[in-house]
Amino acid sequence: MKKRVLLGMSGGVDSSVAALLLLQNGYEVTGVTMKLRPDEFMSDSLSGGCCSLDDIDDARRVCYKLGIEHLVLNFTELFSEKVIDYFVSEYQAGRTPNPCIACNAHLKFDALLRRAQLLDYDYVATGHYSIIRQDEQSGRWLLQKAPCSKDQSYVLYGLTQHQLAHTLMPLGGMEKAKARQLAKEHALPVASKPDSQEICFVENNDYAGFIERYTGKPFPKGQFIDSSGSVLGIHQGIARYTIGQRKGLGISFGKPMYVTKINAEDNTVVLGEEGSQYASVLTADRLNYIPFDSLTSPMRVTAKVRYQAQPALALLIPLENNRVKVEFDQPQRSVTPGQAVVFYHGDLVVGGGTIL
């Protein structure tokens, strides 16, 4: 019997080509679009490659073209709780969250997998650019960087052994240009659709405006201060700033000044001069490791402190309570509380956690 796959389809090129490749490899495929955003955020203008009305229709048209079934599953309540509420609370606490990682952890590789197994599917699949493979000696499931410019392993570090064992990523070894070429060759309706660049539920990247509308509470103005506590000016609400930011401060200092810390407790934003936006050491919690269950001794790795960062040489030092200290060989720019730090050994993902 053919292995049955429930493929998450966003209405974009990547998941559409994933459907094509799975069919070519002999799987029985059902496309599913997860309705995630609550109805008040489902406007056509928010076509972000993730369950807008247009995106659902695009996924349906691709499934019709390929002759496979298409489902829409409603996960709006869970998405609101695990992604939107988390996003809002992190900004309110002066941290910068990564909602895509939260969505992967709670929705795409947890709730969707549980639903797939309830419906007797063997696997879930996505259009992510990463490689899943099993170690022949240990039997452990591993996550590996894709050998292409669109590697997405950074946002997948939280996958568990159970999830890796039941997930397919058919685009793992492919360049995005090749995926688009395949979409055009097979006349998929989304072949020329642009990639999504923004958070799916936030219009025009206006994070603070979204949070104020969502909570009904405006962010109060507060003080810009320096590291000694001297007042430098007035800020427009802590959610409008992130660590390492230089532009858009709304005030001129006659020299470059950078956001170095955000204090939700007293509603202040700390600014510093050139060089202050770098750090050599960080601490992270909520660790997930992939090749092993826990880190028991220091380990040399390369680490990324944000999705677009280059991996940097570092030493991992295990701490109590599932935390780790990361000591970089060279200072890293914009180490931001709330963001993920992800560890690699060569092309293999060692794991990652949340920066404190």
Side-chain angles (χ1 to χ4, degrees):
M1 293 180 62
K2 290 184 177 181
K3 292 288 187 179
R4 303 181 70 224
V5 180
L6 193 63
L7 169 66
M9 298 189 69
S10 65
V13 175
D14 297 333
S15 56
S16 299
V17 173
L20 172 68
L21 295 175
L22 289 167
L23 289 171
Q24 290 178 343
N25 282 283
Y27 292 99
E28 178 185 332
V29 183
T30 298
V32 58
T33 303
M34 304 174 74
K35 184 179 181 295
L36 301 176
R37 299 202 299 256
D39 290 339
E40 59 266 34
F41 306 119
M42 287 294 288
S43 68
D44 291 337
S45 63
L46 262 174
S47 182
C50 185
C51 79
S52 73
L53 298 177
D54 286 345
D55 297 324
I56 292 172
D57 187 55
D58 285 342
R60 184 181 294 116
R61 290 191 300 133
V62 170
C63 289
Y64 180 80
K65 172 71 177 178
L66 295 174
I68 63 175
E69 184 180 6
H70 177 256
L71 306 174
V72 179
L73 299 180
N74 191 336
F75 288 98
T76 54
E77 185 174 340
L78 185 63
F79 185 77
S80 292
E81 174 190 350
K82 297 296 186 180
V83 180
I84 298 181
D85 288 351
Y86 147 79
F87 175 85
V88 169
S89 64
E90 285 290 275
Y91 268 109
Q92 289 175 325
R95 295 185 290 267
T96 303
N98 193 317
C100 294
I101 290 177
C103 186
N104 285 335
H106 297 291
L107 278 299
K108 294 177 182 175
F109 298 100
D110 184 18
L112 184 60
L113 177 57
R114 286 188 279 111
R115 184 68 61 90
Q117 294 183 320
L118 186 65
L119 298 173
D120 292 326
Y121 285 87
D122 298 289
Y123 300 100
V124 295
T126 70
H128 284 96
Y129 289 83
S130 290
I131 295 172
I132 297 172
R133 65 177 179 85
Q134 190 172 25
D135 183 77
E136 293 182 358
Q137 293 183 336
S138 67
R140 190 97 180 176
W141 289 94
L142 304 174
L143 181 67
Q144 185 173 318
K145 285 198 277 187
C148 70
S149 58
K150 203 187 171 182
D151 168 59
Q152 293 173 299
S153 59
Y154 175 86
V155 297
L156 301 171
Y157 78 85
L159 291 176
T160 66
Q161 286 294 298
H162 175 73
Q163 292 164 349
L164 289 166
H166 294 89
T167 299
L168 302 175
M169 294 181 183
L171 302 185
M174 184 178 295
E175 284 284 354
K176 178 59 180 268
K178 176 62 175 177
R180 224 174 249 291
Q181 179 185 336
L182 285 173
K184 292 178 180 177
E185 289 175 357
H186 292 269
L188 298 185
V190 297
S192 299
K193 186 174 181 178
D195 290 346
S196 169
Q197 299 295 333
E198 300 179 354
I199 294 174
C200 68
F201 55 89
V202 177
E203 194 164 9
N204 298 321
N205 273 337
D206 182 13
Y207 303 161
F210 168 82
I211 295 169
E212 289 175 338
R213 291 190 296 273
Y214 188 77
T215 61
K217 299 177 182 178
F219 280 97
K221 295 180 180 181
Q223 294 177 336
F224 283 126
I225 61 174
D226 63 19
S227 58
S228 64
S230 298
V231 176
L232 302 175
I234 301 299
H235 70 68
Q236 302 301 309
I238 60 173
R240 291 176 167 83
Y241 308 94
T242 189
I243 303 300
Q245 180 178 338
R246 178 173 69 88
K247 298 181 179 180
L249 299 179
I251 186 171
S252 176
F253 297 97
K255 57 185 175 182
M257 296 289 282
Y258 300 84
V259 175
T260 63
K261 189 175 182 180
I262 299 171
N263 299 313
E265 295 82 3
D266 60 5
N267 193 32
T268 58
V269 175
V270 182
L271 303 180
E273 297 184 26
E274 181 69 44
S276 62
Q277 73 273 33
Y278 288 87
S280 297
V281 179
L282 65 82
T283 304
D285 68 355
R286 287 176 277 176
L287 276 299
N288 181 67
Y289 297 105
I290 294 178
F292 42 79
D293 290 329
S294 62
L295 183 69
T296 57
S297 60
M299 180 180 182
R300 291 288 293 176
V301 296
T302 58
K304 292 175 64 169
V305 296
R306 56 189 178 280
Y307 181 70
Q308 297 293 349
Q310 290 297 315
L313 292 170
L315 179 67
L316 297 187
I317 302 173
L319 304 174
E320 295 180 347
N321 301 319
N322 195 30
R323 296 186 304 147
V324 67
K325 182 164 74 169
V326 186
E327 296 181 348
F328 289 95
D329 290 11
Q330 299 294 329
Q332 298 299 297
R333 181 186 178 90
S334 304
V335 175
T336 306
Q339 288 285 291
V341 55
V342 180
F343 319 124
Y344 297 87
H345 186 265
D347 288 337
L348 289 180
V349 179
V350 173
T354 303
I355 298 171
L356 293 173

